[in-house]
Amino acid sequence: GKCVMTNTADLSVYPQQFIKDGYLDAKIVVGAQAPTTDVTAAIDIAASLQHALFTNTGSPIGIGVAVLDTEITDPLNKNLIVIGNPCYNTVSALLMGNPLSCTVGLTNGEGRIKLFNNNNKIQVLVTGYSAQDIQGTAFALSEYQSFDLKGTNVQVIVIDPHQVIVN
């Protein structure tokens, strides 16, 4: 096995690896061309992080935590939570090795939470087969306290995607 100096490269300690000196040390990245469901997924994750941060430190999350993929330079040297598939989010594509398929390794009704450790920075990828699967996977991450997230690659089965009513 590989010797790891800290345990921050594991989903079991999420979101602690993103809290530094009482503040959030990460950005949430959504693709500039992504569906709006990726934005709502980012809002859920940001609200969850705000709750964790305020509960643990009393600090607010801060304005500017959510950014577009086009605004991120050198993503492998930043702490990031990246939402979406590689066809809509260039940072997702980079983390996944620029796959030819948007849904590589996924089936309908499935999402993944993957943790990457590059240059002592943590990137968490939230992706899924469909927009609803990405939403459901983001829900699992935002409700991390209710789920047994551990390791670096968690499968999320999305049985009942969010149902909404649009007026």
Side-chain angles (χ1 to χ4, degrees):
K2 189 169 71 170
C3 179
V4 179
M5 289 180 47
T6 64
N7 67 347
T8 59
D10 190 294
L11 288 165
S12 65
V13 295
Y14 177 87
Q16 294 307 314
Q17 63 264 66
F18 295 130
I19 298 175
K20 182 179 178 188
D21 300 326
Y23 293 95
L24 184 68
D25 181 29
K27 297 285 187 187
I28 300 173
V29 183
V30 176
Q33 303 302 316
T36 54
T37 49
D38 284 11
V39 176
T40 61
I43 292 168
D44 287 345
I45 291 170
S48 171
L49 289 169
Q50 172 62 66
H51 178 75
L53 191 63
F54 193 79
T55 300
N56 291 327
T57 69
S59 299
I61 197 171
I63 302 299
V65 68
V67 296
L68 298 175
D69 61 340
T70 53
E71 298 175 283
I72 290 288
T73 56
D74 204 13
L76 300 183
N77 283 306
K78 292 182 172 65
N79 291 324
L80 303 172
I81 299 169
V82 183
I83 300 168
N85 75 39
C87 291
Y88 295 116
N89 188 322
T90 58
V91 181
S92 295
L94 176 68
L95 290 172
M96 295 177 70
N98 297 301
L100 295 176
S101 167
C102 297
T103 57
V104 63
L106 296 168
T107 57
N108 194 17
E110 179 186 14
R112 291 272 172 185
I113 302 170
K114 294 185 177 185
L115 186 145
F116 300 86
N117 184 353
N118 292 293
N119 307 310
N120 293 316
K121 297 292 184 178
I122 301 293
Q123 300 88 33
V124 172
L125 173 64
V126 175
T127 191
Y129 185 86
S130 68
Q132 292 81 9
D133 296 336
I134 292 167
Q135 268 192 310
T137 303
F139 173 78
L141 185 64
S142 65
E143 294 288 331
Y144 64 93
Q145 292 169 314
S146 302
F147 298 98
D148 188 23
L149 303 181
K150 57 185 165 187
T152 59
N153 187 352
V154 173
Q155 178 188 44
V156 178
I157 303 298
V158 182
I159 296 166
D160 184 23
H162 296 305
Q163 293 181 331
V164 298
I165 295 171
V166 179
N167 292 319

